[in-house]
Amino acid sequence: MTDYQLLARGIALAGCGIGAGCALIAGIGPGIGEGNAVSKALEAIGRQPECKGDVTSTMLLGCAIAETTGIYGFVTGLLLIFVAPGMFMRYLQ
């Protein structure tokens, strides 16, 4: 193995690690968004307790949809950690 191949492997592995870290940061956004949604839902229920069912069901649907972005980031991070390095190493050989 030449020095260039070794350097290329190191760069590919570093890129996978950095990309996985950036992808896993995507979990912060849904957490903040869902916290804000629950906060506003509790304020609405506190002001009008009779609309508790409607507000709760809408809030749960919105939180489920917001959570998908975090799941996409998590899956992307896992793929970059476990799948992509092997693909890059086969490509570099």
Side-chain angles (χ1 to χ4, degrees):
M1 183 181 314
T2 66
D3 290 338
Y4 292 116
Q5 287 176 334
L6 189 61
L7 180 64
R9 285 181 177 218
I11 290 172
L13 291 176
C16 288
I18 291 170
C22 291
L24 293 176
I25 289 175
I28 294 173
I32 293 171
E34 289 173 21
N36 287 339
V38 171
S39 168
K40 297 300 180 180
L42 290 176
E43 286 179 16
I45 292 171
R47 291 182 183 160
Q48 293 181 346
E50 64 274 0
C51 69
K52 179 181 178 182
D54 294 335
V55 171
T56 303
S57 63
T58 304
M59 178 202 61
L60 289 175
L61 180 64
C63 285
I65 291 171
E67 188 65 30
T68 59
T69 58
I71 293 171
Y72 291 149
F74 180 68
V75 169
T76 303
L78 288 179
L79 289 173
L80 283 170
I81 291 171
F82 295 111
V83 177
M87 292 174 55
F88 285 133
M89 294 310 118
R90 278 189 301 250
Y91 176 73
L92 291 173
Q93 286 180 346

